[in-house]
């Protein structure tokens, strides 16, 4: 399947650290707000692409952060957790927004690396092994970049394009075009984020 995502970016100047060998844990961090019908398909899809990595010594945790859902999301998560101990559920007291939910997930993450993902499968799970492969080569951050926005509405395409242009015009720290939250971050990066107030 060739969904509109690619793993990318070996900066020309990058001094690659040592490849990571041995066993490792990776946590998927999934903020969820009113996603009762998305949980089961999401888990089925990510298991399909993460289970095979077990052979290579990479074990996965699935950290869901329930961000004040008013539907049966929490019930679905607890059922899933009872069937699969790799699943962890954080239940926020109200809706705080996706970024705060992700932060809560990172705070609870004790894995060697984390991958924030949306529950609606807009971040395609078949990219996970590619992110992990680059991390194992020694990279600390591996970004996933959308190669096509053909599935987005015209308005979304225009507003997304505007966002990157305006952001990169005013901000010192640039964001590569069409790169969102879907990425892998190493433990060192998680700790750096956690040290921020
Ligand atoms: N989400 C969340 N809190 C919110 C809104 C969204 O945790 O207040 C979650 C949502 O359930 C999904 C992810 O954040 O897993 C991305 O949300 P959405 O698909 O609505 O955003 P978009 O695709 O527009 O970036
Ligand atoms: Mg979405």
């Amino acid at each position: 399947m060739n969904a509109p995502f690619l793993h990318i970016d070996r900066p020309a100047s990058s001094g690659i650290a040592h490849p990571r060998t041995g066993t490792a844990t990776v946590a998927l961090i999934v903020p969820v707000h009113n996603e009762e019908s998305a949980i089961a398909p999401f888990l089925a899809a990510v298991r399909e692409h993460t289970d095979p990595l077990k052979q290579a010594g990479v074990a996965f945790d699935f950290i869901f952060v329930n961000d004040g859902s008013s539907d049966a999301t929490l019930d679905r998560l607890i059922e899933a957790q009872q069937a699969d101990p790799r699943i962890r559920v954080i239940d926020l007291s109200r809706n705080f927004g996706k970024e705060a939910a992700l932060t809560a997930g990172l705070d609870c993450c004790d894995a060697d690396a984390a991958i924030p993902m949306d529950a609606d499968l807009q971040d395609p799970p078949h990219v996970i092994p590619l992110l992990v492969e680059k991390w194992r080569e020694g990279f600390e951050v591996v970004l996933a970049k959308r190669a096509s926005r053909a599935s987005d509405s015209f308005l979304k395409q225009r507003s997304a394009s505007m966002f990157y242009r305006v952001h990169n015009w005013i901000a010192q720290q640039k964001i590569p075009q069409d790169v969102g939250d879907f990425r892998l971050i190493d433990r060192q990066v998680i700790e750096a984020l956690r040290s921020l107030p």
Side-chain angles (χ1 to χ4, degrees), residues 31-33 35 65 67 95 97-98 101 117-120 122 156:
V32 282
H33 178 68
E35 299 281 9
V65 186
D67 185 23
N95 181 244
K98 174 184 167 176
M117 278 186 84
D118 291 355
D120 56 11
Q122 284 181 334
K156 175 83 187 196

Side-chain angles (χ1 to χ4, degrees), residues 26 53 58 60 115 128-136 184:
V26 176
L53 293 182
V58 182
F60 281 82
I115 302 178
I128 296 171
L130 301 172
L131 300 178
V132 171
E133 186 190 319
K134 287 290 156 196
W135 174 58
R136 301 280 272 178
L184 179 146

Side-chain angles (χ1 to χ4, degrees), residues 16 26 35 39 41 51 86 88 93 98 139 157 174 195:
I16 299 177
V26 176
E35 299 281 9
I39 307 295
D51 284 354
R86 297 174 304 168
R88 292 163 68 184
S93 58
K98 174 184 167 176
F139 293 96
Q157 290 182 31
K174 313 295 178 200
S195 73

Side-chain angles (χ1 to χ4, degrees), residues 166-179:
V166 172
H167 180 281
N168 289 341
W169 181 49
I170 56 179
Q172 237 172 16
Q173 192 65 41
K174 313 295 178 200
I175 307 178
Q177 183 89 22
D178 293 328
V179 167

Side-chain angles (χ1 to χ4, degrees), residues 156-192:
K156 175 83 187 196
Q157 290 182 31
R158 290 305 299 268
S159 61
S161 159
M162 284 274 280
F163 165 77
Y164 290 98
R165 272 191 286 169
V166 172
H167 180 281
N168 289 341
W169 181 49
I170 56 179
Q172 237 172 16
Q173 192 65 41
K174 313 295 178 200
I175 307 178
Q177 183 89 22
D178 293 328
V179 167
D181 293 328
F182 189 31
R183 62 186 55 200
L184 179 146
I185 53 176
D186 178 68
R187 182 85 238 158
Q188 286 192 48
V189 180
I190 300 171
E191 292 304 327

Side-chain angles (χ1 to χ4, degrees), residues 3-126:
F5 266 88
L6 282 179
H7 76 298
I8 45 152
D9 270 0
R10 181 191 297 270
S13 61
S14 67
I16 299 177
H18 303 292
R20 298 179 171 84
T21 52
T23 59
T25 52
V26 176
L28 302 188
I29 305 198
V30 195
V32 282
H33 178 68
N34 293 345
E35 299 281 9
E36 60 182 8
S37 55
I39 307 295
F42 174 84
L43 278 169
V46 294
R47 282 185 180 120
E48 181 189 337
H49 293 280
T50 55
D51 284 354
L53 293 182
K54 200 162 182 185
Q55 287 170 334
V58 182
F60 281 82
D61 282 343
F62 308 117
I63 302 179
F64 287 92
V65 186
N66 180 36
D67 185 23
S69 298
S70 54
D71 66 357
T73 295
L74 183 60
D75 298 331
R76 298 291 91 80
L77 289 175
I78 290 170
E79 285 160 20
Q81 197 280 326
Q82 280 164 354
D84 183 347
R86 297 174 304 168
I87 293 173
R88 292 163 68 184
V89 181
I90 299 165
D91 185 33
L92 301 185
S93 58
R94 62 167 170 85
N95 181 244
F96 286 88
K98 174 184 167 176
E99 285 70 26
L102 268 178
T103 304
L106 283 175
D107 279 346
C108 296
C109 169
D110 53 9
D112 301 313
I115 302 178
M117 278 186 84
D118 291 355
D120 56 11
L121 293 174
Q122 284 181 334
D123 300 329
H126 77 265

